[in-house]
Amino acid sequence: MSWLVTGGAGYIGSHVVRSLQAAGFEPVVVDSMSSGVRSFVPEEVPFYQLSILQTEKLVEIMKRHEVTGVIHLAGYKYAGESVKHPLLAFEQNATGTAHLLDAMATARV
């Protein structure tokens, strides 16, 4: 069973990925690498560097890997940055989540 982990190259996301593997699931990682670290993702895990704003590519990935669920951890989490750049934070966190939900609906996840 395949699960998509957005933000899977981050500290928390990488632990989620390893926990999924330990439980017998097949994680797939999507991360924009704005703050993620590629080496946090195990080499055998499919990894895609892209933004969750890229709906069509998300649909393609979900279908290719027959994803059955999503753990969404991609987002701008630094309060100071969101105050400095509120529209960027809104686009990533609110609009990005809407794009991810759209992709999930389209891919029937």
Side-chain angles (χ1 to χ4, degrees), residues 4 6 52 58 62 70 72 95-105:
L4 180 69
T6 66
I52 58 172
L58 289 171
M62 289 180 202
V70 175
H72 179 36
T95 307
T97 299
H99 280 262
L100 176 61
L101 291 170
D102 183 33
M104 290 171 67

Side-chain angles (χ1 to χ4, degrees), residues 34-75:
S34 64
S35 63
V37 178
R38 177 62 180 98
S39 63
F40 284 4
V41 180
E43 195 133 330
E44 66 277 7
V45 173
F47 172 81
Y48 298 90
Q49 183 175 346
L50 64 107
S51 166
I52 58 172
L53 295 165
Q54 295 174 270
T55 310
E56 294 82 17
K57 289 188 180 191
L58 289 171
V59 170
E60 179 184 317
I61 291 165
M62 289 180 202
K63 288 181 177 181
R64 177 182 306 140
H65 294 280
E66 298 178 354
V67 168
T68 57
V70 175
I71 299 174
H72 179 36
L73 301 170

